[in-house]
Amino acid sequence: MKAARFRRLRHFTLIVSMLLFPVTIWYFSPYLIIMAALRHIINGSFITFTLMFVLGMFFGRLWCGFFCPTGGMSECFESFSPKTPRQGWRNSIKYAVWALWLSGVIVCHVLGKGDYSVQPFFMTDHGISVSNIYAYVIYYGIVLLFLIPALVHGKRANCHYICWMAPFMILGYKAGRALHLPQLRIQADTARCTGCGACHKVCPMGLDARSCSQGGEIRNAECILCGECAAACRNDVLRYTIAASGTPRIPHKG
């Protein structure tokens, strides 16, 4: 599939994901998984985070680029704050948040009581997350929590700094590389690059795709495989490919 088609598909899936967020929000909840752990319940968010790690072994952070509702919201606010978030130590904040939270989940499972059970719809109304006015207050509070960093710091700042879900996919991606599994990647034919900078301008994560792809593919933990860089490139330098780690890069045909 051409990169331009991926771009249209991406915009469509992000819109659908944002519209469904009131239904799905509890399945990404770092709080409900702790409440469930105390009761030895495998809930919806436990299943979701596990799938993020497993699928990350093959698709990296594709979820962030195509399906994440809060990421889509952040992109909608780019016109208000189009600046690029600062890289560096701030990117480590999400790993600290993730490590502390995951440690809490493990402790709650150890201290929890009762036999284990699987309840995907735990604390939802027949699978629907937000089903009353009080839940909507919490919902909009969470939405605001994600939008403030994007408005203050720029493009998808919440993805860079505070997202507790990203480490699951990043670790899954690294595990997939270590196991030499076939993975979705953005390959680069650097010989065709003219340095126009179009890829950098459109990246929703504010990455310099040209610099990140010097080794023949974009390898950066903040890349969400959205393909915007590939769609913007007029010289067909960047394109999607599926290959295992260590597979020789096949040059683009002219």
Side-chain angles (χ1 to χ4, degrees):
M1 185 183 291
K2 295 291 186 180
R5 295 180 183 176
F6 263 103
R7 171 188 272 174
R8 292 193 292 269
L9 174 63
R10 181 178 105 82
H11 293 168
F12 174 76
T13 54
L14 280 178
I15 290 173
V16 172
S17 182
M18 288 187 289
L19 292 175
L20 290 176
F21 199 33
V23 176
T24 62
I25 186 171
W26 292 167
Y27 299 97
F28 313 120
S29 172
Y31 170 73
L32 289 191
I33 192 174
I34 289 177
M35 296 298 295
L38 290 170
R39 306 181 191 182
H40 283 176
I41 294 173
I42 305 300
N43 72 322
S45 51
F46 185 103
I47 296 171
T48 298
F49 299 143
T50 301
L51 285 174
M52 284 182 175
F53 173 79
V54 174
L55 294 177
M57 298 173 73
F58 302 94
F59 301 104
R61 292 182 65 178
L62 186 72
W63 161 268
C64 304
F66 280 77
F67 304 104
C68 182
T70 57
M73 291 177 189
S74 296
E75 289 188 29
C76 289
F77 275 73
E78 277 187 24
S79 58
F80 297 98
S81 183
K83 59 185 177 182
T84 301
R86 293 183 181 180
Q87 307 297 315
W89 67 268
R90 291 180 177 85
N91 289 339
S92 301
I93 296 175
K94 62 176 174 285
Y95 296 104
V97 171
W98 177 80
L100 288 172
W101 162 66
L102 189 61
S103 298
V105 173
I106 294 172
V107 169
C108 288
H109 271 287
V110 173
L111 300 178
K113 299 179 180 179
D115 296 330
Y116 273 97
S117 63
V118 179
Q119 299 182 30
F121 301 147
F122 176 72
M123 293 186 71
T124 67
D125 185 0
H126 298 87
I128 298 176
S129 300
V130 179
S131 58
N132 58 65
I133 188 64
Y134 304 106
Y136 266 103
V137 173
I138 299 174
Y139 167 76
Y140 285 116
I142 294 173
V143 170
L144 186 63
L145 176 66
F146 272 87
L147 291 183
I148 288 177
L151 290 174
V152 174
H153 296 287
K155 300 177 180 180
R156 279 186 173 246
N158 53 290
C159 301
H160 284 282
Y161 301 153
I162 64 174
C163 182
W164 59 88
M165 295 178 283
F168 286 110
M169 290 169 276
I170 293 171
L171 292 176
Y173 165 74
K174 291 183 177 180
R177 289 192 69 90
L179 295 172
H180 303 288
L181 298 176
Q183 294 179 315
L184 180 67
R185 308 165 181 220
I186 295 182
Q187 179 179 290
D189 186 356
T190 54
R192 304 179 62 155
C193 180
T194 60
C196 67
C199 53
H200 173 65
K201 294 177 183 178
V202 299
C203 178
M205 295 295 285
L207 301 177
D208 183 348
R210 183 188 179 192
S211 298
C212 294
S213 62
Q214 290 304 303
E217 65 176 281
I218 295 181
R219 293 183 61 181
N220 188 296
E222 301 304 321
C223 176
I224 56 175
L225 291 169
C226 64
E228 292 291 324
C229 55
C233 182
R234 294 186 294 270
N235 297 310
D236 198 26
V237 174
L238 303 164
R239 61 172 61 180
Y240 283 107
T241 186
I242 296 178
S245 177
T247 301
R249 183 170 62 88
I250 302 175
H252 294 177
K253 296 181 178 179

